[in-house]
Amino acid sequence: MNSIINTFLPISLSEMNGVKLLNRTDTKFVTTIDKLRLLLAMARGDYFAQEIDGSRIAPYYTVYFDTPDQAMYNVHQDGYARRQKLRIRSYVDSHLNYLEIKTKNNHGRTKKKRISLSGFDPCHPSYDIRFNSTDASCVSALNFLKQNLEYMPESLSEQLENRFERITLVNKAKTERLTIDSHLKFHNLLTGICCSLDNLVIIELKRDGLQPSPILEMLRQLHIHPMGFSKYVMGAAMTNPQLKQNRLKPRIRQVMKLQQQGNLKYAI
């Protein structure tokens, strides 16, 4: 993958920060590593690749929180439009960690709020973070959650961790960003079950309103179609057989079909 992505012209993180998508729409696509290689070969004349410290493929770590009865998971699984997720997102190479709340409203718009988190090590997570008033080290996090989260912070605990690699592209007109996530790995902290989706690729197109997008025609030519994919919900469903999964089963079958074009790996 490096040999392909290194043929793109680079764009720095500071230049990326200047790409303001004020009326953003997000669309996800799911495909395979082989089709991603074809897509990148087609896209290199129309996109820059984000480069940080000489690298264009960045490792990410995420741990998701939920209530004891998995309320955040169930709201999504049950098909409610309004929902929230809470996670710690780590940019591993940059040593940056954030506590993030993602809120999706009834109109399909997603807003993300976050604060920086100190003292967290994604390479050696402790799995014992608790947001309560007796822990002086998390006062700012607790206040942040009370102001923005619809769940009681004291009830939350880590449920699922996720690692993946990300490529970020921006089009030459700077009206859209494209994040490309691959080599997804999940570890369920409740069941101990792990799942690797090494052949799966999650592409998210983030563009300014309905501005023309070069990538959409390329995706159409490669028969890569829009498909919702929440890493928390899909990862939890595939690693915890006790969770309700009725609405997710068709999507899980699609994911399994794509992944089985490579090698699906489960480890318990």
Side-chain angles (χ1 to χ4, degrees), residues 36-237:
L36 173 60
R37 291 191 180 98
L38 294 174
L39 181 67
L40 290 175
M42 296 168 67
R44 57 190 167 192
D46 295 289
Y47 289 83
F48 299 106
Q50 178 179 287
E51 182 175 290
I52 301 175
D53 296 330
S55 178
R56 301 184 182 190
I57 302 178
Y60 279 56
Y61 171 87
T62 311
V63 61
Y64 294 93
F65 293 78
D66 211 330
T67 64
D69 59 352
Q70 287 84 41
M72 296 183 197
Y73 170 91
N74 286 317
V75 164
H76 194 129
Q77 199 283 149
D78 290 341
Y80 288 94
R82 180 173 177 81
R83 49 188 183 254
Q84 286 190 313
K85 293 188 185 73
L86 177 66
R87 69 190 187 191
I88 294 173
R89 165 61 57 81
S90 295
Y91 303 82
V92 179
D93 285 349
S94 302
H95 307 290
L96 297 173
N97 307 296
Y98 295 95
L99 182 66
E100 298 183 342
I101 298 171
K102 292 185 71 175
T103 303
K104 190 168 187 178
N105 65 24
N106 293 327
H107 304 289
R109 295 281 180 169
T110 300
K111 290 187 177 181
K112 182 170 70 176
K113 294 185 178 181
R114 69 183 189 180
I115 59 170
S116 60
L117 196 66
S118 60
F120 182 81
D121 182 1
C123 297
H124 303 93
S126 60
Y127 312 128
D128 61 355
I129 295 175
R130 297 294 178 268
F131 303 107
N132 59 68
S133 57
T134 63
D135 188 347
S137 65
C138 66
V139 171
S140 60
L142 183 60
N143 291 336
F144 168 72
L145 296 179
K146 285 182 175 180
Q147 292 171 12
N148 298 287
L149 194 66
E150 298 171 1
Y151 300 85
M152 293 181 60
E154 296 84 353
S155 70
L156 303 173
S157 63
E158 299 101 319
Q159 305 267 330
L160 181 80
E161 62 179 351
N162 165 229
R163 297 181 187 273
F164 60 93
E165 295 179 350
R166 171 167 289 183
I167 295 169
T168 302
L169 305 181
V170 60
N171 68 327
K172 295 291 181 68
K174 296 185 179 179
T175 57
E176 69 180 41
R177 289 196 303 269
L178 204 65
T179 58
I180 302 170
D181 298 341
S182 62
H183 298 97
L184 278 75
K185 300 182 187 302
F186 299 100
H187 172 214
N188 195 299
L189 301 175
L190 301 180
T191 67
I193 296 175
C194 298
C195 173
S196 295
L197 300 176
D198 291 331
N199 195 47
L200 207 72
V201 176
I202 313 301
I203 300 170
E204 186 166 10
L205 172 62
K206 306 170 184 181
R207 58 176 172 153
D208 199 354
L210 297 177
Q211 291 287 333
S213 169
I215 206 70
L216 286 177
E217 175 58 22
M218 302 174 201
L219 290 164
R220 187 192 66 79
Q221 290 179 27
L222 293 173
H223 305 287
I224 301 173
H225 307 293
M227 175 180 164
F229 190 102
S230 161
K231 292 187 184 73
Y232 172 52
V233 173
M234 294 295 287

